[in-house]
Amino acid sequence: MIEATSCGGVVIFRGKILTLFKSYKNRYEGWVLPKGTVEKGETFEETALREVREEAGVNATIVKYIGKSQYNFTVPDDIVTKEVHWFLMAADNYHSKPQREEYFVDSGYYKYHEIYHLLRFSNEKQIVEKAYAEYQELRSAGKWIKPGRNF
């Protein structure tokens, strides 16, 4: 068994959530959240911010840690157990640019009810549900991050 750790972000701008469409050689297609593998010497926060920037072209700001998800998948001759640490993030505009080298062919910001139905994986739907509830709570308390400045 191989153990792997990734980090990612639920990025929100004006109430809409960033998602990416991945199409890999017609074997994998679906809407996903930006995430990726922790590199040597990186903190989880650094990994999450880097992956959002690389995969979606978005410079985001971390608002808070929202939890982790776990899942398994198979590779030739082994099983990978993956743990993903998620952060609620704020963007300062709607711009995004999918990373073609990683087979992302589209990206955009969608309303909560839209993204919930677009996302391919149930563990990502659960993270979005938790992150969006946190976002609404912070926003109603007047504590949601404003573009260009902190709390």
Side-chain angles (χ1 to χ4, degrees):
M1 182 172 2
I2 301 168
E3 291 184 5
T5 303
S6 290
C7 298
V10 177
V11 183
I12 297 178
F13 180 67
R14 292 190 179 166
K16 293 186 177 180
I17 304 163
L18 174 68
T19 188
L20 300 158
F21 190 84
K22 190 166 192 169
S23 179
Y24 180 71
K25 300 180 181 177
N26 295 324
R27 290 185 296 174
Y28 174 91
E29 286 193 341
W31 290 96
V32 296
L33 298 172
K35 67 180 176 302
T37 304
V38 177
E39 293 181 358
K40 187 177 171 108
E42 274 186 329
T43 65
F44 289 170
E45 292 87 351
E46 289 168 337
T47 300
L49 290 168
R50 177 181 52 78
E51 289 294 338
V52 167
R53 189 172 50 255
E54 287 177 358
E55 293 184 352
V58 172
N59 288 316
T61 301
I62 291 177
V63 176
K64 69 184 295 186
Y65 179 78
I66 51 172
K68 66 182 177 179
S69 58
Q70 295 175 300
Y71 58 95
N72 299 320
F73 60 93
T74 56
V75 293
D77 302 324
D78 217 336
I79 295 173
V80 176
T81 298
K82 183 165 263 198
E83 184 174 85
V84 184
H85 294 272
W86 295 100
F87 295 87
L88 174 59
M89 299 181 181
D92 62 1
N93 63 58
Y94 283 125
H95 174 77
S96 65
K97 183 180 178 190
Q99 184 183 29
R100 304 280 181 201
E101 301 80 19
E102 292 291 326
Y103 308 102
F104 294 111
V105 297
D106 197 5
S107 64
Y109 289 82
Y110 295 88
K111 293 178 182 175
Y112 172 75
H113 70 276
E114 294 170 329
I115 196 170
Y116 194 82
H117 294 291
L118 287 174
L119 287 174
R120 179 179 174 139
F121 299 112
S122 61
N123 59 1
E124 289 192 354
K125 288 180 183 187
Q126 291 169 350
I127 287 296
V128 164
E129 192 173 341
K130 185 175 181 180
Y132 197 73
E134 292 277 352
Y135 160 74
Q136 287 182 311
E137 196 173 297
L138 288 168
R139 191 163 177 261
S140 67
K143 294 183 178 178
W144 180 247
I145 207 166
K146 303 287 186 225
R149 63 177 202 252
N150 291 331
F151 291 94

